[in-house]
Amino acid sequence: MFDLETLIRPNIRAMRPYSSARDEFAGAAQVMLDANENSLGSAGPEVFNRYPDPQQRAVKAALAPLKGLDPAQIFLGNGSDEAIDLLVRLSCRPGQDSVLLVPPTYGMYEVAANLNDVAVERVPLTPDFELDEAALVSIGHSAARLVFLCSPNNPSGNLFAPAAIERVLGTFRGLVVLDEAYADFAAAPSWTTRLAEFPNLVVLQTFSKAWGLAALRLGMAFASAELIAYLNKIKPPYNISETTQRHALAALADAPRFAALRAQLVTSRQQLAADLSQLALVERVFPSDTNFLLVRFRPDATAVYAYLLTRGIVVRNRTTQAGCAGCLRLTVGTEMENQLLLAALAALELASTTAVTREASISTSPAA
Ligand SMILES: *Cc1c(COP(=O)(O)O)cnc(C)c1O
């Protein structure tokens, strides 16, 4: 039987959280002299002299019906990266406990572990970036306090099979953190719909991708109310700024724009994948349920990466990541950006076939 309390660091269970002025009084009083704010006003054109709501009640109230959850099951972080860090800190004792990763995956999990002096165990994905039987058995035997599964996975782009995730949820003894940063682009329901079945499940989502709000820094964690209460206990009191809360509310009220952005990116991804696979330089375009494509180039992905830079096109070189030899990660851009990328790759291909043909003709031409 899953017991959350045994996975919470004892010092965190025992500590009393910081209680901010706005925790103790959140209403609109006539005279607010409790928080050492500047009652006179703000420098700059806009008024920001009051601390924001530390519990982000309005944003959570708008988000809860969208996700089919209770506001008490929602944590908001300064990006998902804050939630990742807090989850490691919540469950892992520095110098003692470990987290489990399934590489290749998102780099921040390891950074959060290193920052907190928490060891990293690794169980690799298959060459097709799946969790196979051997991996599932290892995960079931692990004594790590936390496993990070990213589905759809960054950098590979694929969703894990629901049966594999269910196996991890049923066998792993720690918390299962399912990072769904890209779930909005996937043709599968979110695991938020299964939270009631799995008290060990934490689902992460973000406003940085499909919502198009990366600059705001707003991430979400969904879990049992008990686990969310612990995250709230250890977060910095005012972790979500007033600007971010206001913009998030406006974005949530603009669902049609969200749906349109998401649909456009999915269509563009399919087109870009089809176009890329026509190129001789491209050995493989991996299947993607995200807004990016992992692409294996031949003969030399790093040369392709360097060439694209000379054309002012920046992509992500993933060649040194586990299982990603020869691979670049390409974010789906605007129609124009995708065309520029394809045109640059076609030009490189033409230049290299010309060079190869010239070499061939030199080596076969009779000595003069
Ligand atoms: C982009 C991304 C995030 C989002 O992080 P934020 O801090 O919310 O911007 C989270 N997880 C993965 C795997 C990502 O690729």
Side-chain angles (χ1 to χ4, degrees):
M1 199 45 219
F2 178 77
D3 181 7
L4 176 63
E5 298 300 317
T6 62
L7 288 174
I8 305 294
R9 268 167 63 188
N11 65 305
I12 290 178
R13 257 184 299 166
M15 74 184 241
R16 284 187 41 187
Y18 177 74
S19 178
S20 71
R22 287 302 113 84
D23 279 317
E24 289 168 15
F25 182 83
Q30 210 165 10
V31 181
M32 304 261 278
L33 301 178
D34 58 339
N36 296 348
E37 297 151 335
N38 189 329
S39 297
L40 310 186
S42 315
E46 298 196 46
V47 179
F48 285 113
N49 61 332
R50 298 295 177 186
Y51 280 105
D53 177 2
Q55 299 302 333
Q56 308 101 23
R57 291 175 186 81
V59 179
K60 288 178 186 172
L63 207 47
L66 203 69
K67 302 292 173 186
L69 296 171
D70 191 272
Q73 292 180 276
I74 305 174
F75 169 82
L76 296 177
N78 185 2
S80 316
D81 292 346
E82 183 177 36
I84 290 166
D85 176 62
L86 291 180
L87 284 162
V88 172
R89 281 204 251 176
L90 185 65
S91 57
C92 298
R93 291 163 295 181
Q96 225 175 312
D97 293 324
S98 58
V99 298
L100 186 58
L101 306 183
V102 292
T105 194
Y106 187 44
M108 277 308 292
Y109 311 140
E110 185 160 356
V111 171
N114 290 342
L115 175 62
N116 291 298
D117 192 16
V118 163
V120 174
E121 283 179 34
R122 290 179 185 80
V123 173
L125 298 174
T126 67
D128 281 322
F129 308 115
E130 307 283 357
L131 289 160
D132 63 5
E133 180 61 27
L136 291 170
V137 168
S138 301
I139 294 171
H141 287 147
S142 169
R145 309 272 287 188
L146 197 70
V147 62
F148 284 104
L149 298 180
C150 185
S151 182
N153 188 36
N154 178 5
S156 57
N158 60 309
L159 278 165
F160 294 134
I165 293 176
E166 213 161 310
R167 224 356 232 287
V168 174
L169 284 164
T171 58
F172 183 66
R173 279 166 286 176
L175 292 176
V176 178
V177 181
L178 192 62
D179 188 341
E180 290 191 334
Y182 299 97
D184 293 319
F185 304 110
S190 163
W191 283 80
T192 52
T193 57
R194 313 275 311 265
L195 277 172
E197 289 168 66
F198 302 109
N200 53 341
L201 173 62
V202 183
V203 177
L204 301 180
Q205 294 182 2
T206 180
F207 281 84
S208 297
K209 308 284 156 67
W211 288 95
L213 294 168
L216 273 191
R217 310 304 306 129
L218 188 59
M220 300 162 262
F222 307 104
S224 69
E226 293 74 20
L227 193 141
I228 294 299
Y230 273 116
L231 288 176
N232 284 326
K233 181 176 181 180
I234 64 172
K235 78 180 181 69
Y238 301 112
N239 62 328
I240 309 296
S241 80
E242 179 65 26
T243 342
T244 298
Q245 294 191 41
R246 276 192 220 158
H247 276 84
L249 269 179
L252 288 167
D254 192 12
R257 174 76 173 141
F258 166 73
L261 286 169
R262 165 162 88 164
Q264 172 73 59
L265 285 166
V266 169
T267 308
S268 299
R269 175 189 79 212
Q270 288 158 347
Q271 185 62 52
L272 184 61
D275 292 345
L276 285 165
S277 56
Q278 299 300 309
L279 296 169
L281 281 172
V282 169
E283 184 180 316
R284 182 158 182 206
V285 181
F286 287 90
S288 172
D289 269 287
T290 66
N291 66 335
F292 62 82
L293 295 166
L294 188 73
V295 181
R296 182 162 282 139
F297 286 88
R298 62 186 159 214
D300 182 357
T302 297
V304 174
Y305 170 78
Y307 162 80
L308 288 173
L309 277 183
T310 68
R311 304 279 301 243
I313 299 171
V314 192
V315 300
R316 193 87 158 121
N317 189 344
R318 297 286 79 183
T319 52
T320 59
Q321 302 288 299
C324 296
C327 292
L328 305 180
R329 195 192 68 194
L330 315 175
T331 306
V332 177
T334 63
E335 196 54 44
M336 171 76 84
E337 290 168 332
N338 299 338
Q339 289 308 320
L340 286 170
L341 171 69
L342 288 163
L345 290 171
L348 175 61
E349 195 161 286
L350 191 64
S352 47
T353 44
T354 315
V356 169
T357 317
R358 200 184 311 119
E359 247 170 63
S361 65
I362 290 166
S363 63
T364 54
S365 62

